[in-house]
């Protein structure tokens, strides 16, 4: 149940935060949420997630440390 709420919040709010070239802290906020709340990303100094990244298959995706994902990406 918590996973579904976490994904719903990601798709409703976190995913649509502005690109980090406009507001630099949004990249860190997305990485924090995806690593600490959803457990998908292994956070690191170089980890980067931009806006509009769709992640399909809850629980089936794991992204390593230092990975950079650009905007408008679909990961399944």
């Amino acid at each position: 149940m918590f996973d579904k709420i976490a994904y719903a919040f990601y798709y409703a709010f976190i995913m649509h935060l502005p690109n980090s070239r406009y507001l630099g802290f949004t990249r860190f906020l997305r990485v924090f949420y995806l690593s600490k709340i959803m457990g998908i990303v292994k956070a690191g100094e170089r980890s980067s997630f931009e806006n509009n990244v769709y992640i399909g298959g809850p629980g089936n995706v794991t992204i390593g440390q230092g990975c950079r994902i650009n905007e408008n990406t679909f990961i399944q």
Side-chain angles (χ1 to χ4, degrees), residues 10-45:
Y10 172 77
Y11 291 125
F13 181 70
I14 301 291
M15 177 178 166
H16 300 290
L17 291 173
N19 194 300
S20 65
R21 71 181 149 225
Y22 304 120
L23 295 173
F25 73 92
T26 58
R27 176 176 58 109
F28 298 110
L29 183 60
R30 276 189 286 272
V31 170
F32 174 81
Y33 189 82
L34 290 168
S35 65
K36 303 297 182 191
I37 306 298
M38 295 177 68
I40 294 174
V41 176
K42 294 181 181 177
E45 291 180 19

Side-chain angles (χ1 to χ4, degrees), residues 10-11 15 49 51-57 61 63 69-76:
Y10 172 77
Y11 291 125
M15 177 178 166
F49 252 76
N51 58 325
N52 295 326
V53 175
Y54 177 82
I55 302 168
V61 176
I63 299 171
I69 308 293
N70 285 328
E71 57 195 338
N72 301 321
T73 305
F74 183 90
I75 299 172
Q76 187 166 7

